[in-house]
Amino acid sequence: MIGCAYGRCSYCTYPSIEGRPQKLDLVTSVGDVVDQAQRLPGSTLSLKDSLVTPNRLIELGDCIQKRVKWSACTKLSRRLDISRLSQLNNSGLATLEVGLESLMPETQHRINKLQPQSLYEDFLANVADLPHELSVVVNYMFDFPWEDPVAAQSKLNEAETLLLGILGKERGMIELNEFELERLSHGQISRGIWNRSSKDNTVAMGVSPRNGKGLIGLM
């Protein structure tokens, strides 16, 4: 997939930059990259799409078939139940990055990304019950101009406490992103994110917008 399958977050510039999402043939894109990644001992394939739907995750797992460990990005969904998570885990999924963004109800409405706390808690509980370890990276945003800093920090602490209490520090991580306003060259205001984290020793797969072929590299 080129682009974000959700594309409705009010803060995000990706839809205007990436255009409409396009579905790629998995065998000629991901399959070829998996073949290359297999030649790198101990490598992990990191799929860097902005958001991969639960159904597409299953398709990816069927394509990869545990030939390498892999990771992907998505958002919370009731469709990511214990059955689908087990299927993904058995296909080699080692890390799942989820865009929670906030547990603040007002913020979720303002950014158009509703994910109730109960959904977050159920997701973590399902991950904890998997037969093979699955790590979770939770994307969380802060410093929205309408938020009370004390209340926002309290909710962030709650999100982290839930994550680490259920999965532990070895399998759970909060990735903090700061909300910023940016002015484009043509004068329009866009909303941008500064990402504070970094990842090492990962094989990353990107996609060339021109030909849809997989690109592989070390991060």
Side-chain angles (χ1 to χ4, degrees), residues 2-4 15 18-22:
I2 302 174
C4 180
E18 298 176 340
R20 295 172 62 89
Q22 303 174 46

Side-chain angles (χ1 to χ4, degrees), residues 162-174:
L162 285 167
L163 177 65
L164 300 184
I166 295 174
L167 297 183
K169 292 182 178 180
E170 296 299 317
R171 297 176 58 194
M173 184 184 82
I174 293 281

Side-chain angles (χ1 to χ4, degrees), residues 85-124:
L85 286 171
S86 296
Q87 187 175 348
L88 292 169
N89 200 209
N90 289 331
S91 74
L93 181 66
T95 303
L96 193 58
E97 187 173 337
V98 294
L100 175 62
E101 318 311 356
S102 178
L103 283 181
M104 300 280 285
E106 179 187 2
T107 295
Q108 290 190 358
H109 278 86
R110 283 179 177 255
I111 67 175
N112 195 29
K113 203 168 188 180
L114 302 180
Q115 299 176 107
Q117 185 164 325
S118 60
L119 178 60
Y120 177 56
E121 294 173 356
D122 290 346
F123 168 75
L124 295 178

Side-chain angles (χ1 to χ4, degrees), residues 43-58:
S43 63
T44 297
L45 178 65
S46 180
L47 301 164
K48 304 310 291 181
D49 293 77
S50 303
L51 185 148
V52 183
T53 65
N55 287 343
R56 191 62 167 172
L57 285 171
I58 295 297

